[in-house]
Amino acid sequence: MAKPLIAGNWKMHGTAESAIHLASQLGQHWNDQSKAQMIVFPPAIYLTAVKAELDGTNIVLGAQNLSQHSAGAFTGEISADMLADIGCEYVLVGHSERRAVFGESNSTVAEKFSAAQRAGLTPILCVGESLQQRQQDQTIEVVAGQIAAVIDLAGLDNVCRAVIAYEPVWAIGTGETASPEQAQQVHSAIRAQLGDAGKDTTLLYGGSVKAENADKLFSQPDINGGLVGGASLEANDFLNIAQQLTEQE
Ligand code: PEP
């Protein structure tokens, strides 16, 4: 069975104080690790402080980005080993903001994915189509291509032991959400692409997940949890969403 996950991407928001406060509130109220794993992705500069706050809780730490390089003269970059060294267990790879704003190609994403796994981190591979691609009926093809690029470099088994997050670009931070049926259609295509090896792979949905729409999304057969941006910045909202995941059959 795929492991249910609820992931909070804090993006480039907050201060040291607010990050620690949010981690502390989540840590105090989240103790149900048996039904779902909670992961938070603070800004890199606050990872260590948040990690200290989460010690002794059931919440684990992830990073929003990593370098594809292992070490060397790469000013400003952070390697997978460094993230593992400070206690990260997960890392986002190929988030649409990294692809669109920072020009990360499918091949860079694949290199980052492999670098993460080499360091013992679990990558969450983010994939998704733009509004234009959806309107041109290219959704399944685009998502399959993004995943295939990583399979080509890392191999199918390695992709299957990671996590994949389907995040339609037009739904991220816009308040627009894919309908549960739209999301399930893509998730089931991803599951089919992975074949037998991917029957237990955790597939997340991301894109304006909120307390009001989480239940119906999480009840879809191939959706095993959520990657949440905006609504993960408020402890009560995020806890409410996480709770809805634990209540699924
Ligand atoms: C995200 O950052 O991955 C995301 C899904 O953001 P939001 O929930 O704000 O749409």
Side-chain angles (χ1 to χ4, degrees), residues 9 11 92 95 97 126 167 171-176 205-209 227-231:
N9 176 12
K11 308 196 188 191
L92 300 181
H95 190 280
E97 288 149 19
C126 304
E167 300 205 296
I172 298 180
T174 59
E176 288 234 19
Y205 170 78
S208 298
V209 175
L227 175 53
V228 185

Side-chain angles (χ1 to χ4, degrees), residues 76-96:
E77 293 290 275
I78 300 176
S79 74
D81 282 332
M82 291 171 181
L83 295 175
D85 185 34
I86 60 154
C88 287
E89 295 183 34
Y90 289 82
V91 61
L92 300 181
V93 171
H95 190 280
S96 72

Side-chain angles (χ1 to χ4, degrees), residues 139-176:
T139 299
I140 303 292
E141 187 191 328
V142 167
V143 168
Q146 290 169 334
I147 295 172
V150 183
I151 294 176
D152 281 350
L153 186 78
L156 178 64
D157 286 347
N158 283 327
V159 171
C160 290
R161 68 186 178 85
V163 175
I164 298 180
Y166 167 57
E167 300 205 296
V169 177
W170 49 271
I172 298 180
T174 59
E176 288 234 19

Side-chain angles (χ1 to χ4, degrees), residues 129-201:
E129 82 289 3
S130 66
L131 183 58
Q132 197 189 23
Q133 289 165 332
R134 174 158 284 269
Q135 286 165 342
Q136 293 174 351
D137 248 349
Q138 295 169 341
T139 299
I140 303 292
E141 187 191 328
V142 167
V143 168
Q146 290 169 334
I147 295 172
V150 183
I151 294 176
D152 281 350
L153 186 78
L156 178 64
D157 286 347
N158 283 327
V159 171
C160 290
R161 68 186 178 85
V163 175
I164 298 180
Y166 167 57
E167 300 205 296
V169 177
W170 49 271
I172 298 180
T174 59
E176 288 234 19
T177 318
S179 68
E181 295 73 26
Q182 285 174 320
Q184 168 57 25
Q185 188 195 26
V186 180
H187 279 242
S188 116
I190 295 173
R191 190 80 71 199
Q193 183 180 8
L194 301 179
D196 251 15
K199 66 182 186 334
D200 292 331
T201 303

